[in-house]
Amino acid sequence: MLNDFRTLRVAVLCSKRAPGLDELLHHPNRGKLFDIGCVVTTETSFPDARRVEALDVPVLHHPIRPFFDAREASLRHQPTRRDFDSVTATVLRQLGIDTVVLLGYLYVLSDAMLTQFFNRIINVHDADLTLADSNGERKYAGLHSTRDAIVAGEKETRSTVHYVTEKVDAGPVLILSGRYPVAPFAHDAARAGHADVVKAYAYAHREWMMRDCWGSLVIRALEYMSAGVDQEDLTEVIRVASA
């Protein structure tokens, strides 16, 4: 059931960059349906920091590699990951954040974040998460989803906004983008075994999606969340036509 609109206090979590962030920062609904309370990066530097801070949005650096190095732990060490995420969650709570958006965030969140922001974390993924394999699992999850879809012969790709859960790219789908046709030569290259061509094309194709629709997808998702749409309200995928 939809409730009265409320202003979301949003944190954007990213790594080296945050595709679509500019659209969020300059959208007319910023400050009405949603406000950007901060941008948090896992890197020591963030190229857009000055431009973001000029719009009165603080950029917080929470470098992940130095955090793990100081504890002599690998990035796969889950107790250290929970410690890292606990610091993030504490800072976000202190800033009054109630909703988290992952934009180009390269790491898997632990329960330290998931429990603090239960049903309030969304991610943008570069593939259609409504497609399933013969076992009922999502076909195109993970970091190389665009390339995987092209190699599998998909004639088009989509991007997906979904709720973040413990299992990677497995949470309920909130919004699906419009179609992005795959160039036929990419399929030819895949069949011929030209992995370098496929890799280069997949990078460009993913960039096309990110730059064209990620900002608008997140904005639409935040509009629904502001209206009270939650995971329990999702009876069907909300499809949004790409520009």
Side-chain angles (χ1 to χ4, degrees), residues 1-242:
M1 178 181 297
L2 298 184
N3 304 313
D4 293 335
F5 284 88
R6 67 184 183 90
T7 302
L8 305 178
R9 179 78 170 166
V10 176
V12 173
L13 269 59
C14 62
S15 291
K16 298 177 181 179
R17 56 178 179 153
L21 177 60
D22 277 349
E23 197 165 348
L24 271 68
L25 292 173
H26 293 94
H27 197 271
N29 277 338
R30 180 188 165 200
K32 299 174 184 177
L33 297 183
F34 65 88
D35 196 13
I36 308 298
C38 64
V39 174
V40 181
T41 174
T42 60
E43 308 306 303
T44 54
S45 63
F46 185 63
D48 292 331
R50 288 188 179 181
R51 187 159 50 83
V52 173
E53 290 174 336
L55 296 170
D56 297 322
V57 175
V59 174
L60 309 179
H61 295 270
H62 185 25
I64 190 168
R65 291 187 181 276
F67 188 94
F68 277 72
D69 289 346
R71 291 155 180 79
E72 298 183 345
S74 74
L75 289 175
R76 296 181 180 274
H77 189 246
Q78 287 306 304
T80 305
R81 180 63 58 85
R82 285 193 290 273
D83 290 343
F84 179 84
D85 284 350
S86 180
V87 173
T88 304
T90 298
V91 171
L92 297 187
R93 285 300 188 191
Q94 290 173 345
L95 292 173
I97 300 298
D98 55 54
T99 304
V100 178
V101 175
L102 307 185
L103 278 177
Y105 191 80
L106 299 178
Y107 303 95
V108 179
L109 291 180
S110 70
D111 56 1
M113 275 289 292
L114 298 176
T115 56
Q116 286 294 312
F117 296 94
F118 180 68
N119 283 3
R120 306 303 300 174
I121 306 176
I122 59 174
N123 176 56
V124 190
H125 181 68
D126 61 320
D128 185 345
L129 291 179
T130 67
L131 300 177
D133 61 22
S134 59
N135 296 318
E137 297 291 327
R138 289 180 172 173
K139 292 177 70 173
Y140 303 120
L143 289 176
H144 304 295
S145 299
T146 300
R147 192 193 314 176
D148 292 344
I150 292 168
V151 171
E154 300 290 350
K155 291 182 169 55
E156 61 192 29
T157 65
R158 297 175 185 264
S159 288
T160 306
V161 177
H162 67 97
Y163 287 97
V164 176
T165 58
E166 185 175 355
K167 187 175 180 180
V168 175
D169 298 333
V173 170
L174 180 55
I175 292 181
L176 196 65
S177 79
R179 299 175 175 87
Y180 289 82
V182 176
F185 82 82
H187 294 140
D188 294 340
R191 286 191 293 269
H194 300 317
D196 56 339
V197 175
V198 174
K199 180 179 179 180
Y201 175 80
Y203 173 84
H205 190 93
R206 183 173 183 265
E207 286 290 317
W208 175 26
M209 288 194 296
M210 289 193 300
R211 299 183 190 193
D212 187 57
C213 75
W214 278 27
S216 60
L217 282 179
V218 170
I219 289 165
R220 186 64 62 89
L222 293 176
E223 289 173 347
Y224 282 112
M225 295 176 74
S226 175
V229 173
D230 207 339
Q231 291 188 24
E232 290 76 10
D233 299 308
L234 299 178
T235 57
E236 62 181 17
V237 175
I238 303 168
R239 296 180 183 271
V240 180
S242 63

